[in-house]
Amino acid sequence: MRAMVGVGKGSDMDGLLPEAEFPEAWRRFVAGEENRLVFAGVQQFVADAVRDAQTTESMQPVGGVLVLYGASGTGKTHLVEGLLEAWSTRLAGDVIVTLDGSEFARRYADAVERDDVETFRRHVRGADLLVLE
C-alpha cells in the first residue's frame, strides 16, 4: 500500500492542497476546534502520497496508517469521502478498496469458510489505499 502519514512524523504540514483544489466533500466540511488538526492530517496524508508517487523511483510499497476515530457526528465519514475523491483524482491509477467493518468481517469469514484466505489477503494487500470504516 502507498501511504505516508504526515501528522506525527515531524511534518510541518507544507504541501497541503490549496482550498481551490479541495474535493467537494471537503468544501462542505466545517473544521471546528475539535477536528481542525485531523482535517489537516487527512490533507497531509493525500499530499504525502502524491509526493511519494512522484518522487519514488522504485515501486516499493510505502507503509503507513491513518486512523480516524471519535464520537459520532464529528466528520470522520465526510473526511474519508474527501480523501477518496482527492486520492482517486491525484493518483488515478491506484487501486482503492473501501469496506465497512461488517463487510470486511463477512468477506474474511467467507474466505475462511471457503478455505481461501490467501485470495482475500491478496485483494486487501494489493490495494494502494485500503479504507476500513
Side-chain angles (χ1 to χ4, degrees):
M1 276 179 226
R2 178 190 0 256
M4 296 280 295
V5 179
V7 175
K9 282 193 169 185
S11 173
D12 59 6
M13 303 303 248
D14 284 341
L16 293 182
L17 299 174
E19 199 167 325
E21 294 180 27
F22 277 8
E24 185 60 34
W26 287 353
R27 288 189 192 131
R28 295 187 316 263
F29 185 72
V30 178
E33 204 54 39
E34 71 283 354
N35 56 16
R36 191 174 318 266
L37 180 61
V38 74
F39 186 34
V42 171
Q43 291 176 62
Q44 188 68 50
F45 188 80
V46 173
D48 286 351
V50 170
R51 186 186 64 242
D52 178 63
Q54 294 169 344
T55 60
T56 302
E57 293 178 21
S58 71
M59 293 305 292
Q60 294 297 321
V62 177
V65 176
L66 175 66
V67 177
L68 305 178
Y69 66 94
S72 179
T74 56
K76 297 177 301 294
T77 298
H78 211 88
L79 289 173
V80 167
E81 288 171 358
L83 180 144
L84 291 169
E85 185 181 341
W87 193 289
S88 62
T89 298
R90 285 158 183 79
L91 298 163
D94 277 8
V95 174
I96 299 173
V97 174
T98 306
L99 300 167
D100 65 33
S102 60
E103 179 70 9
F104 180 88
R106 186 189 65 71
R107 287 188 184 186
Y108 180 74
D110 288 348
V112 169
E113 191 173 299
R114 289 189 323 271
D115 195 28
D116 193 18
V117 175
E118 192 52 41
T119 299
F120 175 80
R121 286 182 181 154
R122 275 195 307 274
H123 174 68
V124 170
R125 291 178 180 168
D128 294 300
L129 176 65
L130 171 64
V131 176
L132 299 176
E133 189 170 7

